[in-house]
């Protein structure tokens, strides 16, 4: 089975502001997100942000907490505001939502859109054709957005609202049903990658921690390369096993003949040994034809 991160893996990671409930919320969020390392912060890069920010703290899987104009500023998902006791009404949307609260008061919400990567649905379909029994997305984002992306990508399911340890727990549950391939790009994916049987990271947008923890790096961030890599790996393994078994069989036959036939010619053994080596080399060259 295969599990995927959402942002930067299944989606492009190129966020844009779709809508916002108040200009004040947008300005506060833009000022705070300048200090965030999350990919979603890029959606605010072109928005004027003149509010002074201090005491910045990134809350894993929640958002960012800081001080603005002498009061606490919260920018993140609904859980961030709920955990800080802010009174607000969650919004239902298929977009990524950034809630803003200042001084303990709810200010507004911003809708952020991020589109699916080209070829993602085809890559997932190809993995299923290769025998991957289940495909699932593990994300810290909201359930509504996760459901929309999972449907577009053709995944079998999703689990949303996960912190890094939650992703790890879900991955361990998936492993109970078979071998697990995990594909991700962020620092939050590193723990899951160390747990997965095969970890794949994005080479362009992937964090150093994710790349270090992965077994395979997709230099071009093309998910279609996963199925191609599986084909090459299986084909290479098949050819290697042919060479090993063929060499052992020929060696075993020559040894038996040498025992049962008195005066068995030495040159036959030499020719057989060299011949097997040449055949193995020629057979190994077939790996270049695997596509």
């Amino acid at each position: 089975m295969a599990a995927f991160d959402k942002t930067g893996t299944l989606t492009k990671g190129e966020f844009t502001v779709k809508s916002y409930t108040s200009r004040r919320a947008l300005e506060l969020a833009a000022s705070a997100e300048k200090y965030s390392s999350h990919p979603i912060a890029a959606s605010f890069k072109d928005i004027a942000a003149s509010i002074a920010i201090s005491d910045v703290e990134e809350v894993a899987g929640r958002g960012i907490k800081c001080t603005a104009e002498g009061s606490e500023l919260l920018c993140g998902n609904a859980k961030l505001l709920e955990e800080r006791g802010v009174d607000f009404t969650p919004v239902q949307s298929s977009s990524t939502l950034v809630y803003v609260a200042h001084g303990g008061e709810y200010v507004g919400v911003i809708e952020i859109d991020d589109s699916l990567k080209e070829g993602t649905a085809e890559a997932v379909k190809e993995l299923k054709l290769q025998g991957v029994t289940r495909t699932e997305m593990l994300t810290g984002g909201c359930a509504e957005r996760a459901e929309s992306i999972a449907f577009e990508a053709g995944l079998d399911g999703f689990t949303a609202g996960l912190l890094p340890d939650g992703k790890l727990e879900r991955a361990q549950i998936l492993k109970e049903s078979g071998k697990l391939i995990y594909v991700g790009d962020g620092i939050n994916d590193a723990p899951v990658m160390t747990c997965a049987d095969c970890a794949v990271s994005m080479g362009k947008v992937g964090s150093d921690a994710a790349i270090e923890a992965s077994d395979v790096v997709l230099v071009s961030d093309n998910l279609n390369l996963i199925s191609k890599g599986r084909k090459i790996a299986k084909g290479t393994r098949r050819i290697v096993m042919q060479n090993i078994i063929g060499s052992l069989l020929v060696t075993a036959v020559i040894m038996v003949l040498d025992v049962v036939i008195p005066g068995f010619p030495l040159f036959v053994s030499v020719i057989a040994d060299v011949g097997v080596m040449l055949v193995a080399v020629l057979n190994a060259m077939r790996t270049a034809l695997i596509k």
Side-chain angles (χ1 to χ4, degrees), residues 26-98:
L26 183 64
E27 187 177 4
L28 285 169
S31 299
E33 293 292 346
K34 288 193 302 183
Y35 301 93
S36 174
S37 61
H38 195 279
I40 202 172
S43 59
F44 298 94
K45 66 180 185 297
D46 297 326
I47 299 172
S50 57
I51 300 173
I53 301 295
S54 61
D55 304 323
V56 179
E57 177 188 347
E58 288 200 69
V59 184
R62 297 291 186 263
I64 191 167
K65 178 172 74 72
C66 58
T67 300
E69 300 175 344
S71 300
E72 183 181 67
L73 172 61
L74 303 173
C75 296
N77 57 27
K79 289 185 178 180
L80 178 65
L81 272 63
E82 290 170 355
E83 292 170 357
R84 297 304 191 282
V86 177
D87 184 23
F88 75 105
T89 302
V91 175
Q92 299 298 318
S93 173
S94 60
S95 300
T96 298
L97 299 174
V98 176

Side-chain angles (χ1 to χ4, degrees), residues 93-172:
S93 173
S94 60
S95 300
T96 298
L97 299 174
V98 176
Y99 293 90
V100 181
H102 188 223
E105 298 292 329
Y106 176 65
V107 179
V109 63
I110 302 162
E111 286 188 303
I112 308 294
D113 261 356
D114 181 23
S115 57
L116 200 69
K117 284 181 179 178
E118 292 84 356
T120 296
E122 291 76 8
V124 172
K125 182 179 180 180
E126 183 62 27
L127 285 174
K128 290 182 178 181
L129 291 174
Q130 289 183 357
V132 174
T133 56
R134 179 174 176 79
T135 55
E136 185 170 318
M137 178 174 63
L138 309 182
T139 176
C142 67
E144 291 81 3
R145 183 58 179 163
E147 182 178 15
S148 175
I149 292 295
F151 178 77
E152 285 185 63
L155 300 176
D156 297 316
F158 67 92
T159 306
L162 296 174
L163 293 174
D165 57 343
K167 282 189 175 184
L168 179 58
E169 291 174 4
R170 181 57 186 165
Q172 290 171 337

Side-chain angles (χ1 to χ4, degrees), residues 151-222:
F151 178 77
E152 285 185 63
L155 300 176
D156 297 316
F158 67 92
T159 306
L162 296 174
L163 293 174
D165 57 343
K167 282 189 175 184
L168 179 58
E169 291 174 4
R170 181 57 186 165
Q172 290 171 337
I173 292 173
L174 291 174
K175 282 189 65 175
E176 293 175 0
S177 301
K179 298 292 184 180
L180 175 66
I181 301 172
Y182 184 79
V183 190
D185 69 298
I187 190 172
N188 291 344
D189 297 312
V192 189
M193 288 181 164
T194 59
C195 164
D197 297 290
C198 180
V200 182
S201 66
M202 304 290 107
K204 288 184 178 179
V205 300
S207 67
D208 292 340
I211 292 173
E212 181 68 24
S214 63
D215 302 299
V216 179
V217 179
L218 301 181
V219 178
S220 64
D221 291 355
N222 184 355

